[in-house]
Amino acid sequence: MAWLSLQPVTSAFLHFGLVTFVLFLHGLQVDAGLTGDSTSSVQNSSCSGSFDCKEGVILPIWYPENPSLGDKIARVIVYFVALIYMFLGVSIIADRFMASIEVITSQEKEITIKKPNGETTTTTIRIWNETVSNLTLMALGSSAPEILLSLIEVCGHGFVAGDLGPSTIVGSAAFNMFIIIAICVYVIPDGETRKIKHLRVFFVTAAWSIFAYIWLYMILAVFSPGVVQVWEGLLTLFFFPLCVLLAWIADRRLLFYKYMHKKYRTDKHRGIIIESEGDHPKGIEMDGKMMNSHFLDGNLVTMEGKEVDESRKEMIRILKDLKQKHPEKDLDQLVEMANYYALSHQQKSRAFYRIQATRMMTGAGNILKKHAAEQAKRSTSLHEVRPDEPEEFISKIYFDPCSYQCLENCGAVLLTVVRKGGDMSKTIYVDYKTEDGSANAGADYEFTEGTVVLKSGETQKEFSVGIIDDDIFEEDEHFFVRLSNLRVVESEEPPELSNSPYPKAILASPCVATVTILDDDHAGIFTFECDVIHVSESIGVMEVKVLRTSGARGTVIVPFRTVEGTAKGGGEDFEDTYGELEFKNDETVKTVHIKVIDDEEYEKTKNFFIELMSPRMVDMSLQKASRPAVHSCLSCCPYRKTVRVKIVDEEEYERQENFFIALGEPKWMERGISGLGVDLAFTEVAERKLTVEEEEAKRIAEMGKPILGEHPKLEVIIEESYEFKSTVDKLIKKTNLALVVGTHSWRDQFMEAITVSAAGDEDEDESGEERLPSCFDYVMHFLTVFWKVLFACVPPTEYCNGWACFIVSILIIGMLTAVIGDLASHFGCTIGLKDSVTAVVFVAFGTSVPDTFASKAAAIQDVYADASISNVTGSNAVNVFLGIGLAWSVAAIYWASQGQEFQVSAGTLAFSVTLFTIFAFICISVLLYRRRPHLGGELGGPRGCKLATTLLFVSLWLLYILFATLEAYCYIKGF
């Protein structure tokens, strides 16, 4: 299959060799003809190649100028090999150049997105629009040699027009349009298709790519034949930002798109388009998604927010799929696998494909697999190497824990003082003292103060505070215990140590402990800790505490249940739970366990409720053994009551009669105010108005029953897992291709330059593991290691956000392009080829080989055809507007300043432009026809259709080469 996928490339190379051989024979024939008939040479000088080599911009002429046939063959071989080696050098430095462009265009900014429910969230998006970056920096990166060659040729030869630069641009456009697209059509697996996603952008760039060459012909042959005026050059250059602007407008659906809120239908009887009122434009592209905005529930959601949500959903889907396939893997391993999978399958930029193609071609390996292997090694090393905690030289003294709870009948509470860090051989003294809170010393607890001594080697010490029990019902109360007056017993030690500027021990937080006294005289109040609790969906089983306050006497049962809110029970969001909590005597806390289902959602806010129902007393026999009778309705025994019934003695001899004692329904009576020593009967409470003290006592007495407290209903809000969300966010950041292709230091660049790696395809496996390099990898590495090491001196892409690498790389590309122009010109004159033919056949082919492999990879790996087709049409337009527009503008301005005109011969260039325009129109028409349903898309489709399209496009390129060559040598008449 690999061989079949490379057949179009192999065919192109064979055709290239055949054309080279034919042209070489033609050069020898011309050489023989010139030696035999000098007169004929003069007459046909404009129709035959010249053997007079000119001084290059950098390279001098190779003397003697008229070598023998053997020397000429040797020179041709040297020039040809040097040309190929320079093409390799340009490809490698273009690799650095494209890496800097990827880093520049991957810069991000924070935006605030408003959700349909009114909530706002902050996220990051790329600053550069994809269409703008493809037509500006990306196009400049892939076409920099052609553009700079045209500019250097004009400026380096005294602002005189040459054939090499413009012909290279046209020849490269022909190779891109016909050969690259033919390969992309053919390499799609049988039965699969690729469609252009951003069809509007394709229409704009395709129209501009054809218009650019029509405009070029009009400059050469219509407006001012043979002369390029200043306005023509500047207008050509101005078309470049205009093309970018229109493509951006098409991409963003601006201007007239935003006003198209009408629906149109066809009248069935007359076939007339009828306008009717409609909704907002759907904006459906090839993937069924809206291009600029979305209307959800009447709210407008920006495209940026939609793209962010889609990328998150895709990352979550990848994580879930990998988790199901590999349940034995831990989270870190799954993250690395997801990172490699996302990098391999996400839509990549034009720069990435160009870099990947160059590195795989030169033995630098598959950058995705190398990145995945490096990430795995880095993760392993971080797990293995754990930095030691810094040694603490100061002892810290504090309470641990800082909060204590105890029943009032516990007798005493123990508090713990701990020592952490520092010199454990020291003896430390610290004072403690109790302080009143709502509890009062002498009434609720025993006032306590003293000193804790932590001897040598001791890390903690306990002391106790007495708790006073009473029979009066009261609310829970608290008091404090404070540490103070820390002292360290100094031992005999060297003066240099005793004069240390740092203290040997300090009081650390918490140095104040809180002790809460829980009343045990009555049944208590049952409540949750708060009204609302937030839990992560990854918690598994959540635990909710039910507190028993203001008393802990007797056994009380508290029923509870879960109630659905926006979160659904039955195992969808949580498991339905209900039951009863049984609080034993003196038991103050119970826990409810509820299972929460983990859906692994990026953003989630759903709620349900846990309700406590009326508590009931089970057993009142566990009250205190003695309690004084302070109410008129109580006896001295707290466990029983006595009913007295008087029996009348009638002094009968035999008597047997009966009666019954029946207990009625019990009811909770109002308690007396025991603290005041006053008996309040129920009737008295009802008959007279209570004082403020009595009202307070009554309120406290009512609290003695087992009742529900302040928070009987708890709202549970299920939120997304913070760990899962952060994992997804990290993965999204790690899938930024700038991190893969960019470099962080010169050391990394030199290590990469001298390392040979295997060039494997991404779809061989999902693990991201690297293979061993092949023989071809080693050969290409050693052939290009000079360039790799040399260009490792270019600043890393991390410096100045990639701009330092961008500027240095484009300067080096300019110098290498100047050498390539001289080599191509000398190569052509050595075998008698015209510069226009050399440019169309050799230079255009050499500069387009990396783009060929990049477009092939993009066609196979991408879901859509934009990276392999739209980029070709956009690049062809940019080549004319920048490459020819900039060079001719500079030359026209120079000659205008000299009072002269910039002369440009229209003949061969105008013919090539016309021929390419006709063939390009055929090519684009065929691509649009292939969008019909029975063919499926621009790329791929049925095998027969693929072969027919491929053969047609290759034939168009061969015809272009043939006719351009025949016209250059006057075998056919041009302009």
Side-chain angles (χ1 to χ4, degrees):
M1 291 302 295
W3 167 249
L4 291 176
S5 65
L6 290 176
Q7 275 187 348
V9 182
T10 307
S11 175
F13 274 99
L14 291 176
H15 287 303
F16 178 72
L18 179 61
V19 171
T20 303
F21 180 71
V22 171
L23 293 175
F24 179 68
L25 291 180
H26 171 78
L28 296 180
Q29 292 175 358
V30 172
D31 185 20
L34 287 176
T35 56
D37 188 2
S38 60
T39 305
S40 176
S41 173
V42 173
Q43 292 175 350
N44 298 327
S45 58
S46 61
C47 293
S48 62
S50 173
F51 285 90
D52 296 330
C53 294
K54 299 178 182 178
E55 188 80 17
V57 178
I58 294 179
L59 297 182
I61 299 174
W62 192 341
Y63 293 101
E65 296 189 41
N66 296 313
S68 62
L69 181 60
D71 290 342
K72 182 174 292 188
I73 294 175
R75 289 188 182 185
V76 169
I77 294 174
V78 170
Y79 282 133
F80 188 74
V81 172
L83 203 57
I84 293 177
Y85 198 67
M86 293 301 296
F87 283 140
L88 286 175
V90 169
S91 298
I92 293 172
I93 187 59
D95 174 1
R96 299 288 180 193
F97 187 51
M98 296 298 278
S100 68
I101 292 174
E102 181 69 35
V103 171
I104 292 171
T105 57
S106 297
Q107 295 178 22
E108 298 176 336
K109 66 177 180 180
E110 286 192 353
I111 63 168
T112 300
I113 299 175
K114 187 175 183 180
K115 298 180 181 179
N117 58 5
E119 295 181 2
T120 59
T121 180
T122 302
T123 187
T124 57
I125 62 168
R126 291 196 174 185
I127 297 175
W128 283 76
N129 175 267
E130 181 183 358
T131 299
V132 173
S133 64
N134 283 337
L135 287 177
T136 53
L137 293 182
M138 297 291 183
L140 177 61
S142 62
S143 303
E146 296 96 322
I147 296 172
L148 292 176
L149 179 61
S150 176
L151 181 63
I152 291 172
E153 183 188 32
V154 170
C155 298
H157 292 93
F159 299 98
V160 176
D163 291 332
L164 197 63
S167 296
T168 298
I169 289 176
V170 180
S172 177
F175 189 91
N176 294 343
M177 181 68 74
F178 307 133
I179 296 299
I180 291 182
I181 295 181
I183 293 173
C184 293
V185 170
Y186 185 80
V187 297
I188 303 299
D190 292 339
E192 296 184 14
T193 58
R194 303 286 190 272
K195 274 190 174 184
I196 294 176
K197 176 183 177 182
H198 302 291
L199 197 57
R200 294 180 181 85
V201 177
F202 170 72
F203 285 150
V204 171
T205 56
W208 276 103
S209 66
I210 293 179
F211 169 77
Y213 293 92
I214 295 175
W215 172 256
L216 193 58
Y217 171 78
M218 295 174 68
I219 291 177
L220 294 171
V222 177
F223 295 140
S224 53
V227 175
V228 175
Q229 300 180 7
V230 174
W231 71 268
E232 293 174 335
L234 293 177
L235 186 57
T236 304
L237 187 60
F238 174 74
F239 282 145
F240 169 67
L242 185 61
C243 171
V244 174
L245 178 62
L246 290 181
W248 178 75
I249 289 174
D251 179 53
R252 303 299 297 171
R253 295 180 56 83
L254 300 178
L255 294 182
F256 59 90
Y257 289 110
K258 65 188 291 186
Y259 301 108
M260 294 174 62
H261 291 176
K262 304 287 185 180
K263 281 186 177 179
Y264 297 88
R265 61 182 175 86
T266 304
D267 185 78
K268 296 181 180 179
H269 301 287
R270 292 176 292 175
I272 300 175
I273 302 297
I274 300 176
E275 176 183 329
S276 62
E277 293 296 327
D279 299 326
H280 290 277
K282 298 288 184 183
I284 301 296
E285 286 289 349
M286 289 311 304
D287 57 348
K289 298 168 185 172
M290 297 185 66
M291 283 300 300
N292 189 45
S293 61
H294 300 257
F295 291 88
L296 300 175
D297 301 328
N299 294 292
L300 183 65
V301 181
T302 62
M303 184 59 188
E304 290 84 355
K306 189 69 176 177
E307 289 177 350
V308 170
D309 288 341
E310 289 174 356
S311 63
R312 288 171 177 168
K313 290 178 181 178
E314 179 65 17
M315 195 61 64
I316 292 170
R317 184 192 64 79
I318 293 172
L319 275 175
K320 288 183 178 180
D321 291 346
L322 290 175
K323 196 172 183 180
Q324 292 178 354
K325 291 181 181 179
H326 307 280
E328 75 284 357
K329 303 284 188 182
D330 59 23
L331 181 60
D332 292 335
Q333 291 175 317
L334 290 175
V335 166
E336 295 304 328
M337 294 174 67
N339 181 32
Y340 177 74
Y341 183 90
L343 286 172
S344 301
H345 292 80
Q346 71 172 326
Q347 184 177 356
K348 303 175 184 67
S349 65
R350 184 178 184 180
F352 175 84
Y353 286 118
R354 176 68 181 262
I355 295 167
Q356 178 79 308
T358 301
R359 297 192 182 182
M360 293 177 68
M361 185 175 61
T362 58
N366 187 317
I367 54 179
L368 287 181
K369 292 191 175 183
K370 289 178 65 177
H371 176 74
E374 291 172 359
Q375 291 293 324
K377 292 177 183 177
R378 187 177 294 112
S379 177
T380 302
S381 63
L382 287 177
H383 281 83
E384 292 177 353
V385 180
R386 296 182 180 274
D388 296 332
E389 294 184 0
E391 183 180 359
E392 296 183 0
F393 299 98
I394 303 175
S395 294
K396 296 180 179 178
I397 311 299
Y398 55 91
F399 282 111
D400 187 19
C402 63
S403 179
Y404 299 84
Q405 290 183 341
C406 64
L407 293 169
E408 66 175 0
N409 62 357
C410 67
V413 60
L414 292 176
L415 288 81
T416 304
V417 178
V418 300
R419 167 168 62 174
K420 182 179 180 181
D423 188 357
M424 293 295 179
S425 64
K426 302 288 185 182
T427 299
I428 296 179
Y429 292 83
V430 60
D431 296 340
Y432 63 90
K433 182 180 180 181
T434 58
E435 297 178 358
D436 285 350
S438 58
N440 298 316
D444 300 303
Y445 70 94
E446 298 176 357
F447 175 78
T448 307
E449 63 179 340
T451 302
V452 172
V453 180
L454 292 168
K455 297 181 180 179
S456 175
E458 289 184 339
T459 58
Q460 65 180 31
K461 210 61 174 287
E462 292 181 341
F463 65 91
S464 63
V465 177
I467 304 297
I468 300 175
D469 190 11
D470 58 29
D471 296 316
I472 302 173
F473 172 70
E474 52 196 351
E475 296 180 343
D476 297 341
E477 299 171 319
H478 66 276
F479 65 94
F480 306 102
V481 183
R482 185 180 300 275
L483 297 178
S484 61
N485 192 22
L486 177 68
R487 300 164 324 266
V488 179
V489 176
E490 300 289 344
S491 60
E492 296 182 1
E493 56 184 9
E496 59 272 13
L497 294 180
S498 61
N499 294 331
S500 172
Y502 302 103
K504 295 180 176 59
I506 59 172
L507 285 176
S509 180
C511 61
V512 177
T514 302
V515 181
T516 301
I517 304 174
L518 304 177
D519 187 73
D520 67 337
D521 293 311
H522 289 284
I525 299 174
F526 299 87
T527 181
F528 291 112
E529 294 180 292
C530 54
D531 281 329
V532 181
I533 184 173
H534 295 257
V535 298
S536 168
E537 65 174 354
S538 64
I539 193 173
V541 177
M542 64 174 294
E543 296 182 351
V544 179
K545 291 183 178 180
V546 178
L547 305 181
R548 184 184 193 180
T549 62
S550 301
R553 169 158 297 177
T555 300
V556 178
I557 290 180
V558 182
F560 70 93
R561 65 176 180 177
T562 56
V563 180
E564 291 184 352
T566 55
K568 303 302 178 183
E572 183 175 343
D573 294 307
F574 66 95
E575 294 285 354
D576 292 317
T577 307
Y578 59 90
E580 294 180 340
L581 300 175
E582 183 176 349
F583 287 82
K584 301 291 186 181
N585 188 54
D586 291 343
E587 193 172 12
T588 59
V589 177
K590 278 289 185 180
T591 303
V592 177
H593 298 273
I594 299 174
K595 184 177 181 181
V596 178
I597 306 302
D598 188 1
D599 297 326
E600 293 185 340
E601 296 184 20
Y602 182 80
E603 289 185 346
K604 184 175 184 178
T605 305
K606 295 182 179 180
N607 69 333
F608 69 96
F609 303 92
I610 307 174
E611 288 185 348
L612 298 179
M613 290 172 279
S614 297
R616 63 180 185 273
M617 182 73 79
V618 173
D619 185 9
M620 289 296 291
S621 64
L622 299 177
Q623 300 192 13
K624 293 186 176 182
S626 61
R627 177 185 296 270
V630 293
H631 301 294
S632 60
C633 60
L634 296 178
S635 68
C636 60
C637 180
Y639 299 108
R640 61 179 64 93
K641 295 295 182 182
T642 303
V643 177
R644 293 179 175 85
V645 179
K646 184 177 182 181
I647 304 298
V648 178
D649 186 6
E650 295 182 356
E651 297 180 350
E652 295 183 9
Y653 180 77
E654 288 184 355
R655 187 177 184 181
Q656 188 175 357
E657 295 176 347
N658 66 336
F659 68 96
F660 303 92
I661 302 175
L663 296 178
E665 287 293 330
K667 62 180 179 180
W668 195 277
M669 302 292 294
E670 294 291 341
R671 294 291 305 273
I673 309 176
S674 48
L676 300 175
V678 182
D679 295 333
L680 294 176
F682 178 80
T683 54
E684 294 176 339
V685 174
E687 289 176 358
R688 68 179 180 83
K689 185 177 180 181
L690 301 180
T691 64
V692 175
E693 292 81 0
E694 292 172 344
E695 286 284 356
E696 180 65 17
K698 178 184 177 182
R699 184 186 68 82
I700 296 176
E702 281 294 325
M703 292 178 62
K705 298 187 297 182
I707 60 173
L708 297 179
E710 183 181 0
H711 309 301
K713 187 174 183 179
L714 174 66
E715 180 183 6
V716 181
I717 299 177
I718 306 176
E719 298 178 336
E720 68 277 359
S721 168
Y722 175 77
E723 181 182 9
F724 181 77
K725 185 175 182 179
S726 62
T727 300
V728 173
D729 289 338
K730 289 178 183 177
L731 270 176
I732 292 176
K733 291 181 180 180
K734 289 172 71 174
T735 52
N736 189 338
L737 291 173
L739 301 176
V740 180
V741 302
T743 52
H744 305 285
S745 64
W746 270 292
R747 179 183 178 276
D748 292 343
Q749 294 186 166
F750 280 103
M751 290 298 296
E752 183 180 339
I754 62 176
T755 304
V756 58
S757 303
D761 294 332
E762 285 83 355
D763 46 354
E764 289 178 357
D765 54 61
E766 295 182 359
S767 63
E769 297 178 359
E770 290 187 283
R771 298 186 297 109
L772 293 176
S774 64
C775 180
F776 176 79
D777 296 326
Y778 279 106
V779 171
M780 292 304 299
H781 173 72
F782 287 114
L783 285 177
T784 57
V785 68
F786 167 76
W787 293 120
K788 292 178 181 179
V789 174
L790 178 63
F791 299 144
C793 300
V794 174
T797 56
E798 189 172 289
Y799 296 176
C800 303
N801 292 327
W803 286 105
C805 180
F806 179 89
I807 296 173
V808 174
S809 297
I810 201 170
L811 293 177
I812 296 177
I813 291 175
M815 291 187 290
L816 294 182
T817 302
V819 177
I820 288 176
D822 293 346
L823 285 173
S825 180
H826 291 173
F827 171 77
C829 69
T830 302
I831 61 176
L833 288 179
K834 300 182 70 172
D835 280 350
S836 60
V837 178
T838 304
V840 168
V841 178
F842 294 99
V843 182
F845 181 86
T847 57
S848 299
V849 168
D851 286 327
T852 304
F853 288 101
S855 296
K856 171 182 171 289
I860 296 174
Q861 297 173 24
D862 266 9
V863 180
Y864 302 104
D866 296 73
S868 49
I869 294 181
S870 296
N871 289 336
V872 167
T873 56
S875 178
N876 287 350
V878 171
N879 284 353
V880 172
F881 298 145
L882 276 185
I884 294 180
L886 184 60
W888 286 3
S889 296
V890 172
I893 292 173
Y894 171 80
W895 288 112
S897 65
Q898 302 295 320
Q900 303 180 33
E901 293 181 331
F902 177 46
Q903 302 291 332
V904 178
S905 177
T908 301
L909 182 58
F911 179 82
S912 296
V913 167
T914 304
L915 193 63
F916 168 75
T917 304
I918 295 172
F919 288 173
F921 184 79
I922 296 173
C923 178
I924 292 176
S925 300
V926 170
L927 290 176
L928 293 178
Y929 179 80
R930 284 177 56 86
R931 293 181 62 87
R932 298 177 68 88
H934 68 281
L935 296 178
E938 290 84 357
L939 305 182
R943 183 173 180 81
C945 181
K946 285 198 308 181
L947 288 173
T949 305
T950 302
L951 291 176
L952 173 62
F953 288 173
V954 172
S955 300
L956 289 176
W957 183 70
L958 293 176
L959 288 175
Y960 169 78
I961 294 295
L962 178 62
F963 287 141
T965 303
L966 292 177
E967 192 278 336
Y969 290 101
C970 299
Y971 289 106
I972 59 176
K973 185 178 180 181
F975 298 104

